[in-house]
Amino acid sequence: MNSLLNNLLQPLTLVTFFPLVGVLIILFLKQEQKNAARWVALITSLITFGLSLVVLAYFNPSYPDLQEVINLPWIPIAQWEIRYYLGVDGLSILLLLLTTLLTPISILSTWTAVEDRVKDFMLFFLLLEVGMVGVFLAQDLFLFYIFWEFTLVPMYFLIGIWGGPRRMYAAVKFFLYTMAGSILMLLAILWLGIYQGSFQVPDLIAKGGIPANLQIWLFLAFAAAFAIKVPMWPLHSWLPDAHVEAPTAGSVILAGVLLKMGTYGFVRFNLPLFPQAAVQLAPWMAVLAVIGILYGAAVSYAQKDVKKLVAYSSVSHLGFVMLGIFALNSQGVQGGILQMVNHGLSTGALFLIVGMIYERRHTRDMDAFGGLWKVMPIYGALTLIVALSSMGLPGLNGFVGEFTILLGSWGAGQPGGPLGSHWYAGLAAIGVILAAVYILLMFQKMFLGPVTKDENRNLKDLNWREIITLLPLLILIFWIGLYPKPFFVLMAPAVDKLVAALQTAVVAGVP
Amino acid sequence: MFFEEAVSSGPQFFNLVPWIVFFPVIGLLFNIFFGGRILERSRAGEKIVGGVASLAAGLSFLVSVLLAISLNGHPEGMVVPLADWINIGELNIRWAFQVDTLSVTMMLVVSGVGTLIHIYAIGYMHEDVRHNGDPGRFRRFFVFMNLFIAAMMILVSGDNYMMLFVGWEGVGLCSYLLIGFWYEKGKDGIGNALAAKKAMVTNRIGDFGFLLAAFTIFWTFGTFKFHAIFEKAPEVAVANPGALLFITICLLIGVTGKSAQLPLYVWLPDAMAGPTPVSALIHAATMVTAGVYLVARSAEIYVLVPTAQFWVTLVGSVTALFAATIAVGQFDIKKVLAYSTISQLGFMVAAVGMGAFVAGMFHLVTHAFFKALLFLSSGSVIQGLERGHHHVEHDPKLKKQLKGHAHDFDPQDMRNMGGLRERMKITYWVYLIGAIALAGIPPLAGFWSKDEILADASKEFSWAYTLLTLAAIFTAFYMTRQILMVFFGKARTPAAEHAEESPLVVTAPLMILAVLSFFGGLINLPFDGFHQFAHWLEHTLGEYAHPGEFILVVALLSTGLALVSLALGWWLYNPRRYEEFWAIPAARRPDDPLRSYIGPIYEALKNKYWVDELYWAVFLNPYIDLSRFLADVIDWRFWHDWFHDRVIMGGYNLLTRLLAIRIDLGGIDAAANGLAVLTQRVAERLRQVQTGYVRNYALSIFVGVVIILGYLLLR
């Protein structure tokens, strides 16, 4: 028992389940104790963030494999067993930090925005954090699946209870859509467990040996779950509904973390488990990614609702991430992982920004604004920085990710490379132009021009709480833009190992 | 400053080079955090805010001078690394500064002209923010200006293509911010904002080319460092000439964006929406010359690819003529100068294209002097007119003369000017010097640099020589027209009649620039022993920095043609004749005397050959239509409403109901039914939103999930 306890009191267990402490405390609060619930949730999530920094402190960046591992037996079924198996490596450490950072920021953003059933809101939010952190740390496929599905439940409630007018429609669509893909993944997980004899990801990778044609089917089954989550074109139809209806904090987490679960899934499972399939299908994935980049950008441009614009821009941005991943080289995959973080920061910040103006004006129609920079200069300046980050201005974070992704996919386009054509990167680079087009249109419609609407004349500029909410994101936007080295260093060995494994798999797979 | 001896001795300050970026950054941070309070509390607030910004630019200039001095002793220069930037596998991009004669030339121009313009702007913006009704925005202007200096310094000092690109897009951002500085002004209140967006997006199209070039550079050379690339280039030219061609042509796309060449020049005329100091610094003297610098920097690649050299020369020389013709048909004082800038940039691009790198850079330097001078003087003219207008408006007697056009008075329209020679003496003289320098009349700076380009062209590129000579003829003509319309004859409006000269803080930088425009040619006279600038650049460009030759025929011909063109201009626009023309009743009077001679052609010039309209019809409107079609029809009506809500959801509901009636089902389908029925009921009943219901249904979903999981686990 003592050794079990010792095993459980590891950083990874703590960081995953610490939010439950907050949940317990909040359960004892009354519905009217709104501020108490807020503070408990905020402090809990801040401590969780601190715990993730502890994980970082123990993390050895030069080691390519899983670290700080906890691997205990959990549920035995016949000759198989589901294990409580957590671990962190270069592929997941940044996403862990992103999750634990965005959670307190989101909670802080709800301070005045959520007045209705605050206690329940905070409960679900902390539960959501448990699920998200678990997804990034679980190394047993079944455990992963449980966390994966578990995140749906609190998000469903967050959208369904605190969302906009069509919240139930959006929540149910979100739930069903994601479930549909997950079922296929579950079947693939079961297949792996039955025929490969284990649910543990490192074991499965080490064992390998799945015939190429079967790999394709398993790859597609996993991809079904992940591609919906990302969302890859054309499976994005749930996203605008979910984003438009979700409360601000929900949108931040949805864009910042939940979508990353999809792209992360590709990196964590699809590439190492089914390397030959990954190589074979890379051009097809890249085609979908490029279509997503251009389609998302074009559709964003035509939106009137600013939240919808940001939602569709996610389709475009995550297309970049997918393109980078399926470049299957170091630059592409590292750029892809960094871009997951970047998108979490800048799109998270954009949703916060949209939430701030929504709280003041109760509309998201861009035509209802205009000239806001004059009325709210701090708000305007901060939005500008975030917008520039989102359109990939060099010196800010978005550029570092996009550039390395495009560079990697251009390299993958050389003769003999996984993509085999420069058209992928070339067309994707047009997305950089189109991003400027829709982002600048948004900024112009909301912030430039004269103030034409009387309702906008006396809007209050950001208060300190709002500035503090955005500040960590802004600092990271500059930091990653100017000196991304510490971030790349964390992931480099793990990615290099993954890429090397893919290359040997390709060589081995050649008849 | 430019000694010939190449001995490695003397003081050496190379390690100071990062400060050319740090100083302006410190300046802008100071003004961001303290500028607002200073403006509010201190009466001299504007002087402090503007002074700090000018000081930051000035210190940057000082460092540049120190670097130049160091280069005298150590002409080989130095690379000063600062930090790593992006490192993945074999990809290693760092923040590192390259100090050599080429980069320091640019630094001196940027910070030198930049400092003068900062000082000028203290006076200019003092009036501008009041005229536009928002004095608080004074600070923002100087923050953006310092940001520009920092970004431009990054552009010219990087030791690799990616650091150059950071500056390249950074100056584009500053350009965006400053064109849209008065973002609530302009046509329909949104004109300036639209101009800013146009500049940024057009530049991004060019940057797209730059990016493609960058990708190819990396996968061909394995690095972005200038030195390493140039060393390997001859090898690659043999092994993989296609890659070099692709790189150079894609870089040319970048050049056409940033340096406003055909076909991407369209943003620059609109960029005149920015305050005049911005037009002078960014859109004439420095930023737009970045493309010229890029080609000069890449000299060692371009000389290996004659096809690319041909295209660069073609783009440059055609643009030079094309833009010069449009300038003839403009009435806005700044628009004339804008098209003139495009044309002059064409000269420089053509020069570096044909391998005359020294001539191109020489013209870049002198043009920075005289075009900054002309823009700043035009700003002085505009404010002089605004002062006059203000004076008239507030004088009840004079106000009667205004005849109802008080509010739509355009202080930039040259037809509203005339006779300013008397009222703005300093401005007139410096403007005249700038104009003569631009027109290429000896012995002013512009003559020497332009003539060197023409001399180089005449030797191998006779077609380019012809185009550029024609452009030079138009240049002399439109400048004569402008000088005569603005400064000569009688005042044509009450505002012009009461125009007032600008204060010393404005005119002092003008006088300094006038001196530079007059004597600037001395840095590189085309006679033996006077090629200092060529020798200076030799340390960086090596054999490609051949000193200019003086070809008497070329010089005589270009001067002669310029004088003829000047005379033609005088004949058409001389005060007596122009007054007679102006005396014709407005209804019968054409807008310009030239129209009587070349009517339809004049219409084409005035409308800038309808290129903007063409771009709207061919690119912009189709894209807008496409994006609306994708968003509304494809994505929403077809994919979202019809396919998902009707086909999938409706079909699923129907199916489950059929199945439920016919077959007794197990756990999975019961749960799935639950979901399906739920979705259906939600649509019908939960619109009123009873949160209690929501919880129940959500719970049933959760139970469903558990049942599925349990079934799969335990079966």
Side-chain angles (χ1 to χ4, degrees):
Chain A
M1 194 62 209
N2 236 345
S3 74
L4 182 67
L5 200 66
N6 276 344
N7 269 314
L8 284 177
L9 283 179
Q10 297 284 324
L12 292 192
T13 304
L14 287 175
V15 77
T16 311
F17 293 105
F18 188 79
L20 291 181
V21 175
V23 169
L24 270 177
I25 300 173
I26 292 177
L27 277 176
F28 286 100
L29 295 173
K30 291 197 195 94
Q31 197 67 260
E32 304 84 69
Q33 291 173 294
K34 293 179 181 176
N35 270 329
R38 286 175 184 136
W39 278 107
V40 171
L42 180 64
I43 291 169
T44 311
S45 60
L46 281 174
I47 295 175
T48 313
F49 177 60
L51 287 169
S52 70
L53 292 179
V54 173
V55 173
L56 178 66
Y58 280 108
F59 187 82
N60 175 0
S62 57
Y63 185 65
D65 293 316
L66 290 173
Q67 308 181 32
E68 305 177 42
V69 168
I70 311 159
N71 192 351
L72 300 172
W74 183 30
I75 310 171
I77 323 166
Q79 69 266 44
W80 308 290
E81 65 174 348
I82 300 169
R83 296 182 72 87
Y84 175 71
Y85 186 2
L86 301 181
V88 65
D89 66 3
L91 306 181
S92 52
I93 181 85
L94 287 175
L95 293 166
L96 168 71
L97 292 164
L98 178 71
T99 307
T100 55
L101 174 71
L102 283 180
T103 306
I105 287 177
S106 305
I107 288 172
L108 200 58
S109 80
T110 64
W111 222 253
T112 52
V114 174
E115 281 293 335
D116 184 33
R117 304 176 65 188
V118 178
K119 174 184 163 182
D120 298 351
F121 185 92
M122 296 303 166
L123 278 181
F124 287 125
F125 222 87
L126 292 176
L127 284 175
L128 181 59
E129 185 172 21
V130 173
M132 296 186 299
V133 172
V135 162
F136 293 127
L137 296 181
Q139 304 300 333
D140 180 288
L141 280 175
F142 226 99
L143 184 65
F144 167 77
Y145 185 77
I146 290 167
F147 280 125
W148 172 272
E149 288 292 310
F150 180 73
T151 57
L152 286 183
V153 180
M155 199 48 167
Y156 171 85
F157 284 111
L158 288 174
I159 299 175
I161 300 178
W162 290 273
R166 277 162 57 87
R167 53 180 171 260
M168 277 317 296
Y169 168 82
V172 172
K173 190 171 180 182
F174 164 74
F175 201 109
L176 289 182
Y177 222 110
T178 326
M179 275 290 292
S182 305
I183 302 282
L184 290 173
M185 176 169 72
L186 182 62
L187 292 177
I189 290 175
L190 290 175
W191 188 94
L192 283 172
I194 292 166
Y195 291 100
Q196 298 289 88
S198 172
F199 290 117
Q200 301 175 57
V201 180
D203 282 5
L204 289 167
I205 295 171
K207 188 147 187 271
I210 307 170
N213 55 337
L214 259 172
Q215 277 196 22
I216 300 243
W217 290 108
L218 292 165
F219 181 100
L220 290 175
F222 271 82
F226 299 146
I228 286 174
K229 204 74 164 186
V230 170
M232 290 189 81
W233 185 87
L235 302 170
H236 60 276
S237 183
W238 63 273
L239 187 74
D241 287 318
H243 266 312
V244 167
E245 301 305 324
T248 298
S251 286
V252 173
I253 290 294
L254 187 60
V257 183
L258 292 193
L259 306 188
K260 308 304 150 23
M261 288 167 32
T263 47
Y264 166 78
F266 278 106
V267 181
R268 168 68 70 201
F269 303 107
N270 282 48
L271 298 193
L273 287 177
F274 321 115
Q276 280 156 279
V279 172
Q280 252 181 297
L281 292 174
W284 296 101
M285 301 302 287
V287 165
L288 293 183
V290 171
I291 295 177
I293 291 170
L294 300 177
Y295 180 93
V299 172
S300 284
Y301 182 72
Q303 299 306 319
K304 293 194 168 63
D305 180 329
V306 57
K307 219 171 173 189
K308 234 168 160 182
L309 184 149
V310 180
Y312 278 107
S313 83
S314 287
V315 176
S316 184
H317 281 134
L318 288 161
F320 276 106
V321 176
M322 293 306 297
L323 180 65
I325 293 172
F326 283 94
L328 304 180
N329 53 27
S330 302
Q331 286 82 19
V333 178
Q334 287 202 35
I337 293 175
L338 188 75
Q339 192 64 1
M340 292 183 209
V341 177
N342 290 337
H343 178 261
L345 299 172
S346 32
T347 306
L350 278 178
F351 277 120
L352 288 173
I353 279 165
V354 173
M356 288 166 187
I357 195 66
Y358 184 77
E359 236 185 286
R360 287 166 170 75
R361 286 279 281 103
H362 299 285
T363 178
R364 289 184 306 260
D365 183 359
M366 287 189 286
D367 294 327
F369 304 120
L372 288 186
W373 201 352
K374 194 161 190 171
V375 189
M376 305 168 70
I378 299 175
Y379 182 60
L382 299 189
T383 305
L384 180 67
I385 295 172
V386 175
L388 293 170
S389 144
S390 182
M391 62 180 262
L393 188 87
L396 302 179
N397 62 343
F399 174 75
V400 178
E402 274 179 15
F403 175 71
T404 46
I405 286 169
L406 290 171
L407 190 70
S409 50
W410 188 273
Q414 289 171 316
L419 299 183
S421 163
H422 291 313
W423 280 104
Y424 298 95
L427 288 171
I430 294 177
V432 177
I433 305 175
L434 300 184
V437 174
Y438 67 76
I439 289 277
L440 293 179
L441 180 74
M442 178 207 80
F443 193 73
Q444 172 206 316
K445 277 190 171 177
M446 290 180 67
F447 291 93
L448 306 183
V451 185
T452 46
K453 306 271 187 306
D454 284 333
E455 302 92 310
N456 295 331
R457 267 179 230 287
N458 296 312
L459 291 176
K460 281 211 173 62
D461 208 345
L462 301 192
N463 59 35
W464 275 107
R465 179 185 57 79
E466 288 170 319
I467 294 174
I468 289 170
T469 315
L470 285 173
L471 200 61
L473 302 177
L474 291 166
I475 291 171
L476 282 165
I477 281 173
F478 279 104
W479 183 3
I480 298 180
L482 294 171
Y483 194 63
K485 199 178 182 186
F487 300 85
F488 282 129
V489 164
L490 285 176
M491 63 173 106
V495 172
D496 287 344
K497 192 184 162 206
L498 173 64
V499 170
L502 281 166
Q503 268 151 10
T504 51
V506 179
V507 176
V510 175
Chain B
M1 200 182 298
F2 307 108
F3 297 116
E4 280 187 41
E5 298 310 313
V7 270
S8 275
S9 64
Q12 200 255 66
F13 305 100
F14 291 136
N15 287 323
L16 286 180
V17 63
W19 288 93
I20 59 170
V21 178
F22 292 161
F23 279 127
V25 169
I26 293 170
L28 79 93
L29 289 176
F30 177 88
N31 276 334
I32 285 178
F33 289 110
F34 307 112
R37 250 165 288 171
I38 292 172
L39 273 186
E40 273 169 30
R41 294 198 190 150
S42 165
R43 199 178 289 170
E46 287 193 351
K47 295 209 172 74
I48 298 173
V49 168
V52 167
S54 308
L55 183 69
L59 286 172
S60 223
F61 178 64
L62 186 71
V63 174
S64 308
V65 171
L66 288 175
L67 293 174
I69 292 170
S70 312
L71 279 175
N72 273 323
H74 310 263
E76 71 287 351
M78 191 175 177
V79 171
V80 182
L82 184 68
D84 281 321
W85 186 29
I86 303 178
N87 312 72
I88 305 176
E90 61 271 42
L91 171 67
N92 277 299
I93 313 176
R94 54 181 189 167
W95 299 106
F97 297 84
Q98 172 145 349
V99 188
D100 60 24
T101 48
L102 182 61
S103 62
V104 172
T105 305
M106 291 300 289
M107 291 177 206
L108 288 168
V109 172
V110 172
S111 57
V113 178
T115 307
L116 288 177
I117 294 176
H118 271 72
I119 295 168
Y120 169 97
I122 298 175
Y124 184 90
M125 292 312 289
H126 171 82
E127 285 192 29
D128 197 46
V129 290
R130 280 162 185 75
H131 183 75
N132 283 296
D134 186 2
R137 225 175 281 187
F138 187 86
R139 167 182 67 134
R140 188 182 294 172
F141 181 83
F142 283 96
V143 169
F144 291 165
M145 287 291 269
N146 270 349
L147 182 64
F148 170 77
I149 298 281
M152 191 71 201
M153 286 304 204
I154 292 175
L155 195 165
V156 301
S157 66
D159 91 320
N160 61 72
Y161 279 100
M162 290 325 293
M163 188 165 151
L164 189 153
F165 188 66
V166 173
W168 185 271
E169 284 233 325
V171 291
L173 167 69
C174 299
S175 172
Y176 169 79
L177 293 171
L178 285 162
I179 296 168
F181 187 73
W182 295 111
Y183 51 75
E184 70 276 43
K185 302 278 160 75
K187 192 164 178 283
D188 300 328
I190 198 74
N192 291 2
L194 291 178
K197 189 172 71 176
K198 182 176 179 182
M200 187 89 158
V201 172
T202 314
N203 267 296
R204 274 247 153 166
I205 297 171
D207 296 351
F208 165 77
F210 194 116
L211 277 178
L212 294 191
F215 303 150
T216 315
I217 286 173
F218 179 74
W219 292 106
T220 309
F221 293 96
T223 178
F224 286 111
K225 286 195 197 102
F226 295 136
H227 279 314
I229 291 168
F230 300 153
E231 238 166 63
K232 253 178 94 180
E235 216 178 286
V236 173
V238 178
N240 191 358
L244 279 195
L245 180 61
F246 187 81
I247 291 169
T248 43
I249 293 295
C250 282
L251 284 179
L252 173 61
I253 296 174
V255 171
T256 57
K258 190 70 46 186
S259 288
Q261 300 293 291
L262 279 169
L264 296 180
Y265 71 95
V266 287
W267 63 273
L268 187 61
D270 291 31
M272 296 303 125
T276 300
V278 173
S279 311
L281 179 60
I282 303 186
H283 303 124
T286 57
M287 180 187 87
V288 287
T289 61
V292 182
Y293 169 75
L294 177 65
V295 180
R297 179 51 83 193
S298 314
E300 298 184 54
I301 310 183
Y302 272 97
V303 291
L304 297 169
V305 194
T307 316
Q309 285 192 295
F310 167 79
W311 280 101
V312 177
T313 314
L314 183 69
V315 165
S317 43
V318 172
T319 306
L321 178 57
F322 178 82
T325 58
I326 296 178
V328 172
Q330 302 305 309
F331 291 104
D332 184 308
I333 184 170
K334 281 174 76 180
K335 284 269 164 72
V336 174
L337 294 177
Y339 281 102
S340 160
T341 304
I342 298 173
S343 166
Q344 295 299 308
L345 289 166
F347 273 87
M348 299 173 216
V349 169
V352 291
M354 57 186 119
F357 300 105
V358 174
M361 290 302 296
F362 183 25
H363 198 54
L364 186 156
V365 174
T366 59
H367 177 260
F369 296 151
F370 62 70
K371 193 50 75 59
L373 170 62
L374 283 170
F375 265 115
L376 294 183
S377 313
S378 80
S380 174
V381 168
I382 293 163
Q383 287 203 333
L385 226 61
E386 274 168 2
R387 269 175 238 125
H389 184 65
H390 186 82
H391 179 79
V392 173
E393 269 205 321
H394 289 77
D395 187 327
K397 268 190 233 154
L398 290 169
K399 204 173 174 191
K400 283 179 203 150
Q401 305 174 13
L402 284 178
K403 291 177 205 150
H405 65 283
H407 291 290
D408 49 20
F409 174 73
D410 180 0
Q412 301 191 184
D413 193 325
M414 297 192 292
R415 287 168 295 191
N416 290 337
M417 301 178 184
L420 293 181
R421 187 167 52 134
E422 315 289 333
R423 302 199 57 92
M424 306 182 73
K425 285 206 173 66
I426 302 176
T427 305
Y428 164 66
W429 279 107
V430 295
Y431 207 108
L432 195 62
I433 291 172
I436 295 173
L438 170 59
I441 312 267
L444 276 69
F447 165 77
W448 300 107
S449 54
K450 185 173 352 193
D451 203 59
E452 194 168 325
I453 295 176
L454 291 176
D456 275 322
S458 70
K459 281 184 287 187
E460 280 172 64
F461 294 81
S462 49
W463 52 271
Y465 171 71
T466 316
L467 289 171
L468 293 176
T469 307
L470 283 172
I473 296 172
F474 278 98
T475 308
F477 182 80
Y478 65 69
M479 282 322 288
T480 311
R481 172 175 178 263
Q482 186 174 50
I483 290 279
L484 291 173
M485 282 177 81
V486 173
F487 292 103
F488 283 79
K490 277 191 205 141
R492 291 185 289 276
T493 54
E497 212 170 301
H498 296 87
E500 289 165 31
E501 181 60 290
S502 300
L504 188 66
V505 68
V506 166
T507 49
L510 296 183
M511 292 185 268
I512 297 173
L513 283 169
V515 172
L516 289 170
S517 303
F518 203 102
F519 296 107
L522 290 177
I523 62 170
N524 200 36
L525 295 182
F527 310 110
D528 278 340
F530 292 93
H531 297 301
Q532 298 99 321
F533 189 64
H535 292 309
W536 164 259
L537 286 182
E538 225 166 51
H539 299 305
T540 304
L541 294 173
E543 56 186 300
Y544 310 122
H546 59 84
E549 232 178 289
F550 188 71
I551 303 176
L552 190 65
V553 186
V554 172
L556 283 179
L557 189 66
S558 71
T559 312
L561 287 173
L563 289 172
V564 169
S565 166
L566 196 154
L568 189 69
W570 176 264
W571 175 68
L572 264 167
Y573 296 95
N574 70 68
R576 203 163 47 95
R577 191 179 159 137
Y578 199 62
E579 264 160 47
E580 280 169 21
F581 165 78
W582 208 253
I584 305 170
R588 283 193 289 125
R589 183 179 67 218
D591 46 3
D592 196 272
L594 201 54
R595 191 183 281 279
S596 329
Y597 300 92
I598 52 164
I601 301 173
Y602 191 80
E603 191 62 22
L605 299 182
K606 192 184 168 194
N607 288 294
K608 308 144 196 169
Y609 300 112
W610 295 280
V611 174
D612 275 325
E613 288 79 359
L614 179 77
Y615 284 1
W616 269 100
V618 178
F619 299 111
L620 299 171
N621 282 328
Y623 178 70
I624 293 169
D625 291 344
L626 174 73
S627 96
R628 292 220 176 108
F629 176 73
L630 285 177
D632 299 340
V633 179
I634 298 291
D635 199 76
W636 209 253
R637 269 191 266 157
F638 168 70
W639 194 236
H640 181 274
D641 288 351
W642 185 76
F643 188 72
H644 282 88
D645 288 3
R646 281 276 190 82
V647 177
I648 295 191
M649 212 148 88
Y652 188 69
N653 282 347
L654 199 68
L655 184 73
T656 46
R657 234 176 287 162
L658 278 175
L659 289 175
I661 295 163
R662 300 262 166 98
I663 311 161
D664 189 24
L665 292 159
I668 298 178
D669 294 86
N673 262 339
L675 297 180
V677 173
L678 174 80
T679 44
Q680 192 194 349
R681 287 198 196 154
V682 158
E684 295 162 8
R685 289 175 52 191
L686 289 183
R687 292 257 162 75
Q688 307 94 328
V689 180
Q690 312 291 335
T691 42
Y693 278 103
V694 178
R695 182 194 279 163
N696 289 341
Y697 285 112
L699 190 68
S700 71
I701 289 189
F702 188 59
V703 170
V705 175
V706 172
I707 292 172
I708 296 171
L709 277 176
Y711 175 82
L712 291 170
L713 266 169
L714 303 171
R715 80 185 152 159

